[in-house]
Amino acid sequence: MHKKLFVILLVLTFSLILTIGNANAKQRSLRRINQQLTDNLEEHQEYADNDPGNYDYAKYIQKIYYRDRKTIIIQVKSGFQEMTKNDKTSISNQATALTRSVQSNNNKRPMIIKVKRNEKVIGLKKPNQKNYQWK
């Protein structure tokens, strides 16, 4: 009986080790993607400053990042909330396009997109929705 219990504990231990290792690898991958997003956004903001009319969306974005594999956070600057719904949607869609261009794989999973000003969610688009809900 002790041998059977030992084997079960051994299998559970290895399973736990593999699970933790896999989670750490996913976190490292997510950090890499988010760093690339930061770098690309900064580059787009420089383009917007140097060439008015190009990459204008970047002027309104403070930060873009994946919170997890299913949620994109778009942190916006002041002035964004006063824009029309169409302009907000356009800017958010361009920011989302940047996130998808940075992904290391061609993941077509539906995403939750949260647009935030400070810590308050002011826009939300769920996978089953065609349009953003603006507050």
Side-chain angles (χ1 to χ4, degrees):
M1 187 67 169
H2 293 291
K3 185 177 180 180
K4 191 175 188 179
L5 181 59
F6 175 75
V7 170
I8 290 172
L9 286 174
L10 189 61
V11 168
L12 288 174
T13 301
F14 282 126
S15 175
L16 181 60
I17 289 169
L18 290 173
T19 301
I20 290 170
N22 191 26
N24 286 337
K26 285 181 181 178
Q27 281 302 104
R28 281 191 303 273
S29 174
L30 205 54
R31 280 193 297 269
R32 231 180 353 260
I33 290 170
N34 284 336
Q35 183 58 54
Q36 185 66 48
L37 278 171
T38 298
D39 294 345
N40 286 7
L41 179 60
E42 287 174 359
E43 187 176 291
H44 288 192
Q45 287 169 334
E46 284 180 30
Y47 292 156
D49 290 340
N50 295 329
D51 186 10
N54 287 320
Y55 297 95
D56 278 346
Y57 85 94
K59 294 177 181 180
Y60 300 97
I61 306 297
Q62 184 174 6
K63 185 175 184 177
I64 307 169
Y65 62 96
Y66 281 90
R67 188 184 76 201
D68 53 41
R69 293 282 178 187
K70 297 177 185 173
T71 308
I72 297 169
I73 305 295
I74 302 170
Q75 191 76 34
V76 296
K77 295 179 180 179
S78 62
F80 181 87
Q81 286 178 274
E82 288 75 37
M83 301 178 101
T84 67
K85 287 182 180 183
N86 287 341
D87 287 342
K88 290 180 199 177
T89 298
S90 176
I91 289 168
S92 298
N93 285 340
Q94 290 175 70
T96 302
L98 177 62
T99 65
R100 297 208 171 137
S101 72
V102 170
Q103 277 186 317
S104 58
N105 59 10
N106 290 328
N107 192 353
K108 299 295 182 193
R109 260 189 281 179
M111 296 286 189
I112 296 170
I113 303 166
K114 292 183 179 182
V115 180
K116 290 183 163 187
R117 175 69 185 130
N118 298 321
E119 292 301 313
K120 182 180 177 188
V121 175
I122 60 170
L124 178 66
K125 185 176 179 187
K126 295 181 181 178
N128 59 346
Q129 293 175 318
K130 184 176 181 178
N131 298 311
Y132 285 86
Q133 296 172 330
W134 295 107
K135 296 178 184 177

